[in-house]
Amino acid sequence: MGSFVFPGVEPGLFRTVLLCCYLLVGPASAAADGLGAGRLDIAGARLTVSPEAQTVPFETPTLVATSLDGYDAARGSLPPDLRVVGDFVGPEIDGVLRLETVPGEPFRIPRLRLEGAYALENIRLEQGGEILTFAEPKDVSVGVTQILVTKVSSRPLTEDEIRNYGLVINPDSYQALNLTFGFGTAGGELVEYNLPVVYDLYGPGGTWGAPLDNVGLPRFSGSTTSQRFRPPKMVPFKVELQKETLEQVQVPTGGCPLEQDTCRKPSPPAPPMVGVILFPTDISLLHQFFSVVLMVQNGAPEGDPLVVRDLSARIEVPGGLRQAETDPPTPLGVPVPVRVPGPDGELGTSDDLTFLVAQASGEAEFLVEGLEEGTHVVDFEMEGLLEGLPTGPQRITGTAKGAVVVRDPTLSVTITHPDVVRAQETYSLFLTLTNMGNAPVSGIDFQLRAAGLAGVTLAPGQGATETLGSLLPGDSGVVEF
């Protein structure tokens, strides 16, 4: 029995090789020839690691497997001080992080929060601090990235789209307007509606009181105000009278103390001129409805084995929005699947896919209704299954934010009325509405209330409501009563 070192076997891997020699020696032959016979078994081994490269999401631990190929546990046990060691480096690591394990057990890579390229370098087999061999491969890479890459977009729907989506419209879906009224005169002057309110009409024993309020619409500045204004149906006003003048009158001779037999006395008070401006027409507009699309991309490098399956998203809307009702109804709060176009290249068809390979993108669409003007932030929560990690399939979650901008329409209303109308004459009153904003306006109805008319009535066969439909930005429409 002896100790040997063989070329090609790493020093220290198997430090002691037992050689068992079985000698069958006869008395004559032993003395004459020194014959002997023996058997030597040599086992080779190499250290391997896998995978050579992998991608993981943020805050996700992972593994690097190790294997001592060629080692047969049935033939003996490994030395207890045998270790597999590697140096872990990357953006979140200050210097070098030493990781170690035993042959056949994986390296455990910790959770990482910073995106970037990490590496486990110089992977080696050590015994008692002495390097026996390096792994194949010697270095492996770990890429940390955002797997669920999101983008949110929103756009107002046209009237045709509202109909095609099957949205439910009810009286709650209409809004007040912000309108600027002006009165054009024959001379081309524009008189803005900005008149004081009189709280005490002139009458016996009464006097004109001070205006309670200066009721007026905001001057048009190219954008709407944040607070909606509902124009009054009737605004009383007064016409400012000229200063009182003295009237010259003739009196009998001697009856007047003034010279030249004349005297002056105050003229009788002129009656005040009282009037009202009536707005008997109501205009109602449908709320803006929006398509909000959540786009999700698998951010793993192209060709990476990571696959996101069965990804779905929920939406949370703030108070200025609400999820639109549809027919047939869609339960509110139910997750919407993120779908990928199938072979036909179109979403919403029967061949849509429900998984995202590396660099593939999918979409989930939500329909919302604008209730208040302003910018409203919507939140999304995503959940799915991530396959392809060395640790096996894992649940993956993510969040996203987007903005929906609700703008009150900017409209111009022109009223065309004949200069002269004779009694018992039927004539036409035209209202021209122009969409001066940058969003479509839908469901436009004009209502001329009979109770608000003075001196005229609706002609036979004329309804109190006329429908204009919808107007794209820059378009105009005319309604005739």
Side-chain angles (χ1 to χ4, degrees), residues 17 27 41 46 64 133 219 233 269 284 344 366 405-406 416 437 443 477:
V17 179
D41 291 334
R46 66 191 184 98
V64 175
T133 186
R219 293 178 181 271
K233 298 297 185 296
S284 62
D344 64 358
F366 302 83
V405 180
V406 179
T416 305

Side-chain angles (χ1 to χ4, degrees), residues 289-345:
F289 287 82
F290 295 85
S291 167
V292 183
V293 176
L294 170 66
M295 292 171 282
V296 185
Q297 181 186 38
N298 182 343
E302 190 169 358
D304 196 274
L306 291 186
V307 177
V308 181
R309 292 190 181 275
D310 302 326
L311 186 66
S312 62
R314 297 175 185 265
I315 187 173
E316 291 187 8
V317 296
L321 302 173
R322 68 182 174 196
Q323 282 192 256
E325 295 184 43
T326 58
D327 185 19
T330 301
L332 300 181
V334 173
V336 174
V338 176
R339 298 190 177 277
V340 182
D344 64 358

Side-chain angles (χ1 to χ4, degrees), residues 237-259:
F237 68 94
K238 69 176 181 178
V239 175
E240 297 290 344
L241 303 178
Q242 294 182 351
K243 293 183 179 180
E244 181 179 295
T245 60
L246 296 179
E247 182 183 17
Q248 179 175 325
V249 296
Q250 295 291 336
V251 296
T253 302
C256 180
L258 300 178
E259 298 178 357

